[in-house]
Amino acid sequence: MSVEIRKYDVVIVGAGLAGCAAARECQMAGLKTVVLTKVHPLRSHSGAAQGGINAALNEADTTSHEFDTVKGSDYLGDQDAIELMCQKAPETIRWLEKMGAVFSRNEDGSIAQRPFGGQSQPRACFAKDRTGLICLQTIYEQAHRAGVEFLDEWYVGDLVYDNATSKVNGVVACNLRDTQFAIFNAKVVMFATGGYGRTYKINSNAHANTGDGLSIVARHGLPLEDMEFVQFHPSGLAGSGVLMSEAARGEGGHLLNSNGERFMSKYAPEKMELASRDVVSRGIEREIMEGRGVGEKKDAVYLDVRHLGEEKIMERLPELRDLALAFLGQDMAKEPIMIRATAHYSMGGIPTDINCHVKKNPTETVTGFYAAGECACVSVHGANRLGANSVLEAVLFGRHAGENIVKDIEAIAMVDVDESSADKFMKEVDWVIATNGSERVPALRAYLQETMTENAGVFRDEARLAKQKEIIKEIRKRYQNIRIDDSSRLFNTDMQEAIELGHMIDYAAFIVEGALARKESRGAQYREDYQSRDDANFLYHTYATMDGEGNISLDKGAVSIGKFQPEARTY
Ligand SMILES: Cc1cc2nc3c(=O)[nH]c(=O)nc-3n(C[C@H](O)[C@H](O)[C@H](O)COP(=O)(O)OP(=O)(O)OC[C@H]3O[C@@H](n4cnc5c(N)ncnc54)[C@H](O)[C@@H]3O)c2cc1C
């Protein structure tokens, strides 16, 4: 089969906030830019962000935003990147407004801001509880207007990377409509492929969040950073994990156990329900483990917002009320609803420097390769992200990546590639369609998700992590023996899901290996066998690489410490 080779200045993979923001910058500077996305841009997970986007609109508050972020990160966040983010946040809100995003207002017309966990001031700007959707619609629209080419329902399966020159020259993709392959040959590639929450059974993520970008990068022997840090959000709807935004607690919601106690008084006496996410998630899971859960299986706790009154609920949390009604049949205006911790956000990812250049090791970068948004680890979140800092990160660093591409591109060579660059991905797809084993993809995926939740979830220890490492090896082996039902080349979603499962297996191994090696508790990583943070031995970023057999080696990268020296973290 012949493979078409298309030429661009810039190829961006992912049409969420980060991809769209970068694409607009590039196109506005006259670069020929294409965005490839496996779902329609407006179905990117960014559109599901409910609660808000942080900014210290009162600029006297900027240092405090920095401090809250550093503290929230459990001192693992890189303070140079955090400083950049917090200082540019107010300008980012104004930029969004000028582009047409409409934020909720106070009576006096100023932008309203709500409190979010782990923050000393109300800083989350919001558009009711549809913040991500409003921002995404706005930036997508403006990128379109600037002339960016969007190719949706294109699946990117490989990177064209020349290891010898350490330069990225494009990507290999297939059109999901007919499984036609094409090489997108470009001077610059940017990954904005989003998060990897789908590797857990209870999660808040879109079905598309299978972490493809990370595994694609890792399969070229490039490192992934801090993969052990997976954030569990305190409030997913019981059963499904669908998110009840932190806005519900920000607006004043209470968490109650089966005795009707506001149990957070035991775990975070000062901040209560608004302590940082790792702290609240552990509080909830601890109550459930100790038998004070609610519901038939006693595997949930209550979130109670009734005291806010129906009017405020309808004004500030209409989407959440609808979700609880649709998924649980519970009306939050009339009764407490059932929630539990849900896998939500990936702090780790493709390592980048502060200007979004992808790193090939802790100190050197790859030429012509950028990443931003949730798939990247510029490390503004360190070991734990604060609510409403990640829509900010995606928009701000997406734009920043675009600006840096524009700055750098003149010095970057266009290296022509030939059809053979597509061989690896074409073989992978052909194998998935033709292979005739006995393992079924949905069952294998469910096994991975269930065991990751059990063994590499909110509470971790050596024995369970070691067990999970073996389970992943077993799943990797069984994956070689899969079979799918659909052998056609038209919208073959069986094929896509099988390829995605391959990616999930790869990056799940990184999560487990990083968690095993980090014999301490920091931010989202909680080891029952090592319950305190250990700065003397573990104040570093994990850099992990994978060999052809799926074995992972670990290296260390320095944390950038600025104004704030590590200290105890209490809420
Ligand atoms: C339910 C929910 C609520 C949230 N609420 C908030 C909030 O209130 N505030 C906050 O700050 N953060 C929130 N977050 C987090 C935040 O929304 C995300 O981290 C952020 O929007 C990610 O943006 P992104 O551009 O990096 O990726 P995404 O928006 O996830 O986009 C990823 C893109 O990559 C594409 N892609 C992936 N793999 C491939 C492939 N192989 N081929 C082609 N395309 C591919 C997808 O099609 C998609 O377009 C929330 C997250 C969730 C899940």
Side-chain angles (χ1 to χ4, degrees):
M1 202 191 306
S2 75
V3 182
E4 188 188 355
I5 300 179
R6 304 190 187 186
K7 308 260 180 202
Y8 290 89
D9 293 317
V10 183
V11 173
I12 295 175
V13 186
L17 288 167
C20 287
R24 180 177 175 276
E25 292 301 317
C26 294
Q27 188 71 37
M28 298 278 285
L31 303 177
K32 187 180 175 199
T33 306
V34 66
V35 177
L36 300 169
T37 165
K38 63 180 179 177
V39 298
H40 184 274
L42 295 179
R43 298 191 71 89
S44 300
H45 191 60
S46 289
Q50 301 160 344
I53 168 168
N54 284 332
L57 291 183
N58 166 5
E59 293 190 12
D61 179 38
T62 306
T63 310
S64 153
H65 185 191
E66 286 170 34
F67 174 69
D68 289 346
T69 304
V70 172
K71 178 180 172 188
S73 82
D74 223 347
Y75 295 90
L76 195 74
D78 284 326
Q79 293 187 26
D80 52 352
I82 291 173
E83 191 179 280
L84 175 79
M85 180 175 83
C86 296
Q87 290 185 354
K88 282 180 105 179
E91 192 271 332
T92 303
I93 301 294
R94 289 194 289 275
W95 178 78
L96 277 163
E97 270 220 303
K98 273 191 218 139
M99 301 243 293
V102 181
F103 289 103
S104 295
R105 324 298 290 197
N106 295 316
E107 298 258 298
D108 66 0
S110 57
I111 292 178
Q113 292 183 284
R114 56 168 58 124
F116 252 59
Q119 312 239 15
S120 48
Q121 294 293 327
R123 287 193 194 104
C125 309
F126 56 96
K128 291 198 169 176
D129 53 3
R130 302 185 184 109
T131 314
L133 187 64
I134 300 295
C135 294
L136 183 61
Q137 281 170 342
T138 304
I139 303 179
Y140 171 60
E141 204 170 80
Q142 295 297 336
H144 224 293
R145 183 177 177 206
V148 173
E149 182 181 353
F150 283 90
L151 294 179
D152 51 84
E153 294 181 330
W154 276 79
Y155 189 90
V156 173
D158 201 6
L159 189 67
V160 185
Y161 173 57
D162 182 357
N163 196 12
T165 55
S166 177
K167 161 95 175 60
V168 166
N169 296 314
V171 299
V172 185
C174 80
N175 187 338
L176 290 168
R177 290 165 187 80
D178 54 10
T179 321
Q180 281 289 328
F181 292 88
I183 296 169
F184 292 80
N185 187 191
K187 286 186 178 179
V188 163
V189 171
M190 174 188 167
F191 269 23
T193 52
Y196 50 87
R198 292 304 296 184
T199 197
Y200 288 88
K201 180 176 171 222
I202 305 282
N203 73 77
S204 68
N205 280 197
H207 283 268
N209 287 16
T210 51
D212 307 344
L214 289 95
S215 301
I216 291 170
V217 165
R219 286 175 186 179
H220 284 274
L222 291 167
L224 298 180
E225 182 179 351
D226 290 343
M227 291 291 288
E228 59 271 33
F229 296 107
V230 177
Q231 176 167 82
F232 294 84
H233 190 292
S235 48
L237 287 179
S240 63
V242 167
L243 195 75
M244 285 288 102
S245 162
E246 196 163 316
R249 281 170 292 125
E251 296 292 350
H254 296 161
L255 294 175
L256 308 172
N257 63 16
S258 57
N259 302 328
E261 285 163 342
R262 273 181 79 187
F263 56 83
M264 280 311 297
S265 61
K266 285 185 282 190
Y267 307 105
E270 235 173 79
K271 289 272 178 184
M272 297 288 284
E273 284 86 356
L274 287 178
S276 82
R277 289 181 174 174
D278 54 326
V279 175
V280 184
S281 291
R282 281 197 292 277
I284 291 171
E285 294 300 300
R286 183 73 66 195
E287 291 298 303
I288 293 171
M289 268 161 55
E290 293 178 0
R292 291 183 294 278
V294 302
E296 224 171 88
K297 295 190 199 149
K298 302 214 169 304
D299 60 354
V301 297
Y302 284 132
L303 167 66
D304 192 357
V305 294
R306 284 173 300 175
H307 52 284
L308 302 181
E310 186 159 351
E311 198 180 323
K312 187 157 181 195
I313 293 172
M314 283 318 291
E315 187 206 322
R316 293 286 174 97
L317 310 167
E319 197 93 339
L320 299 194
R321 186 184 187 188
D322 279 355
L323 285 171
L325 268 172
F327 285 90
L328 286 178
Q330 295 176 340
D331 182 351
M332 57 163 61
K334 301 202 174 85
E335 60 194 315
I337 61 165
M338 289 184 336
I339 55 130
R340 81 173 291 179
T342 182
H344 181 58
Y345 183 82
S346 334
M347 269 77 70
I350 303 166
T352 72
D353 70 6
I354 193 174
N355 293 326
C356 309
H357 302 108
V358 172
K359 293 192 195 170
K360 68 172 179 183
N361 58 42
T363 51
E364 290 172 290
T365 57
V366 178
T367 308
F369 194 24
Y370 299 73
E374 193 169 338
C375 73
C377 184
V378 63
S379 205
V380 284
H381 310 303
N384 175 63
R385 160 175 88 86
L386 293 187
N389 260 358
S390 115
V391 165
L392 174 63
E393 179 206 7
V395 175
L396 192 152
F397 281 97
R399 232 180 119 200
H400 189 59
E403 287 163 357
N404 279 291
I405 292 170
V406 171
K407 235 187 263 168
D408 299 344
I409 200 158
E410 228 182 301
I412 300 177
M414 176 75 186
V415 178
D416 292 329
V417 299
D418 64 29
E419 283 188 18
S420 66
S421 304
D423 287 354
K424 195 170 100 192
F425 182 44
M426 284 170 71
K427 262 194 209 140
E428 188 184 348
V429 170
D430 289 348
W431 173 79
V432 164
I433 292 178
T435 189
N436 197 18
S438 54
E439 296 283 355
R440 313 302 301 202
V441 170
L444 212 49
R445 184 178 54 219
Y447 180 42
L448 176 70
Q449 291 169 323
E450 276 159 25
T451 54
M452 283 297 286
T453 299
E454 207 174 297
N455 299 321
V458 176
F459 294 107
R460 300 169 172 182
D461 64 31
E462 183 95 21
R464 276 183 288 179
L465 289 166
K467 182 172 163 200
Q468 190 59 19
K469 185 172 166 178
E470 291 310 308
I471 290 174
I472 292 173
K473 275 193 200 151
E474 174 206 335
I475 294 175
R476 193 183 287 288
K477 223 187 208 162
R478 287 170 60 185
Y479 182 77
Q480 291 309 314
N481 187 35
I482 55 167
R483 171 164 63 91
I484 62 171
D485 289 325
D486 187 353
S487 58
S488 82
R489 290 195 173 252
L490 294 177
F491 270 118
N492 192 337
T493 51
D494 275 10
M495 177 275 288
Q496 186 185 337
E497 285 183 19
I499 299 272
E500 286 170 344
L501 176 59
H503 293 148
M504 291 163 83
I505 297 169
D506 279 347
Y507 69 77
F510 279 82
I511 297 174
V512 171
E513 203 72 47
L516 254 175
R518 191 173 278 280
K519 297 184 192 317
E520 65 158 353
S521 291
R522 182 187 295 272
Q525 146 108 340
Y526 190 78
R527 291 276 305 244
E528 291 194 285
D529 43 358
Y530 300 95
Q531 295 188 3
S532 24
R533 195 177 83 196
D534 177 359
D535 286 338
N537 293 303
F538 292 100
L539 184 59
Y540 61 73
H541 293 295
T542 305
Y543 278 71
T545 48
M546 181 176 72
D547 69 14
E549 267 79 61
N551 303 308
I552 291 174
S553 317
L554 301 177
D555 196 0
K556 297 172 186 174
V559 177
S560 148
I561 307 279
K563 310 185 192 87
F564 310 108
Q565 287 302 314
E567 53 184 57
R569 179 167 163 261
T570 48
Y571 287 101

